[in-house]
Amino acid sequence: MTDRLYSDPDLVQFYDMENAGGDDFNYCLGFAGNARSVLDLGCGTGQLAASLSDGRSVTGVDPASPMLDVGRGRPGGDKVDWVEGDARTVRLGRRFDLVLLTGHAFQVFLTANDQASVLRTIAIHLAPGGRFIFDTRNPAVEEWREWTPQRSARKVAHPSLGTVKAWNDVEHDVATGVVTYSTFYEIPGGGSALGAESKIAFPAKEDLAGMLDDAGLLVEQWLGSWQGEPYVANSPEIIPIGRLR
């Protein structure tokens, strides 16, 4: 859990420029509803946690301290309880009305054992009557095919560095299903490119369903996108919503 993309401040500075807002953020703001307490596992730079903190007790957990530092400095960040911890093992000694794990953070857990541990963490921290929601990319769509240097090339507007060229590269391990992708940022003015290598898993829906059941979690609804569409075989996302069984 020491991925440089999230633990190196030079790379963390680009995170919100590429990931701020989005459909998952908007959906979860509405989904939180009347929940009075929220646990945001894998909270990253804390945009969602801070946005949910008005009138709620919110805890944001992430293993990368530079990401949490960004969260603390956000508007509303002073209302969040920030915890440096691993979603597989963190134990907070309390339960929450809502447990979130968004931004495809579930995919950084590469093995079935690690994935099952995260689901147990959700169950342990979920209050009776509370709800959980998380997302993972649908392996059937093979989104990683778009992460080649040619297809992923983009420009990022940095407030002090100016226009930064960015791109990815990718390898897919057919045997394990694990995707290794690299992220690069070319600093203007002849500076060398910043880069980091990351690994993510693409668990299938049927495997997730079994692990959720084993963790004591009941799925009430499967979404296939953050627009709220029901899951079908070619949906881009796998998004279970549920409660304790």
Side-chain angles (χ1 to χ4, degrees):
M1 306 306 293
T2 56
D3 190 326
R4 286 188 60 241
L5 195 60
Y6 312 119
S7 62
D8 184 336
D10 287 339
L11 290 164
V12 168
Q13 67 177 321
F14 291 100
Y15 184 85
D16 282 349
M17 297 174 205
E18 299 231 68
N19 298 284
D23 292 333
D24 56 346
F25 174 80
N26 294 326
Y27 188 95
C28 288
L29 284 183
F31 185 79
N34 295 324
R36 307 311 301 168
S37 57
V38 179
L39 172 59
D40 187 356
L41 291 171
C43 66
T45 59
Q47 182 192 30
L48 180 57
S51 296
L52 290 171
S53 65
D54 190 18
R56 296 185 179 94
S57 170
V58 178
T59 299
V61 176
D62 201 275
S65 58
M67 302 284 272
L68 296 177
D69 287 342
V70 175
R72 292 185 182 98
R74 288 186 178 282
D78 58 330
K79 302 175 184 176
V80 178
D81 181 17
W82 304 103
V83 176
E84 185 175 340
D86 188 318
R88 295 170 294 186
T89 56
V90 67
R91 296 294 182 265
L92 301 173
R94 59 172 296 198
R95 292 178 179 265
F96 297 81
D97 297 331
L98 176 60
V99 179
L100 305 162
L101 181 67
T102 61
H104 303 121
F106 187 75
Q107 291 184 250
V108 306
F109 303 101
L110 303 182
T111 69
N113 284 340
D114 284 344
Q115 292 158 9
S117 295
V118 174
L119 298 181
R120 284 195 295 271
T121 296
I122 292 175
I124 286 169
H125 291 92
L126 199 58
R131 305 182 81 193
F132 71 87
I133 184 170
F134 68 91
D135 62 349
T136 183
R137 297 176 184 88
N138 185 358
V141 178
E142 299 185 340
E143 184 182 328
W144 61 81
R145 294 187 182 275
E146 300 299 317
W147 302 347
T148 63
Q150 296 78 15
R151 294 181 178 180
S152 66
R154 58 199 182 274
K155 295 181 179 179
V156 180
H158 191 286
S160 60
L161 297 175
T163 300
V164 175
K165 294 181 180 179
W167 68 95
N168 298 102
D169 205 351
V170 66
E171 293 181 2
H172 174 230
D173 188 325
V174 177
T176 65
V178 171
V179 168
T180 302
Y181 70 95
S182 299
T183 306
F184 299 98
Y185 298 100
E186 185 178 288
I187 307 303
S192 59
L194 299 170
E197 183 178 273
S198 309
K199 293 180 182 291
I200 55 175
F202 283 74
K205 178 178 177 286
E206 55 269 25
D207 295 329
L208 279 176
M211 287 189 287
L212 284 157
D213 186 60
D214 289 343
L217 296 168
L218 175 67
V219 178
E220 298 176 314
Q221 187 178 13
W222 294 92
L223 299 183
S225 78
W226 284 110
Q227 287 78 38
E229 299 165 345
Y231 174 85
V232 294
N234 63 347
S235 293
E237 305 278 352
I238 305 171
I239 305 171
I241 299 172
R243 58 179 174 81
L244 288 172
R245 191 174 62 242

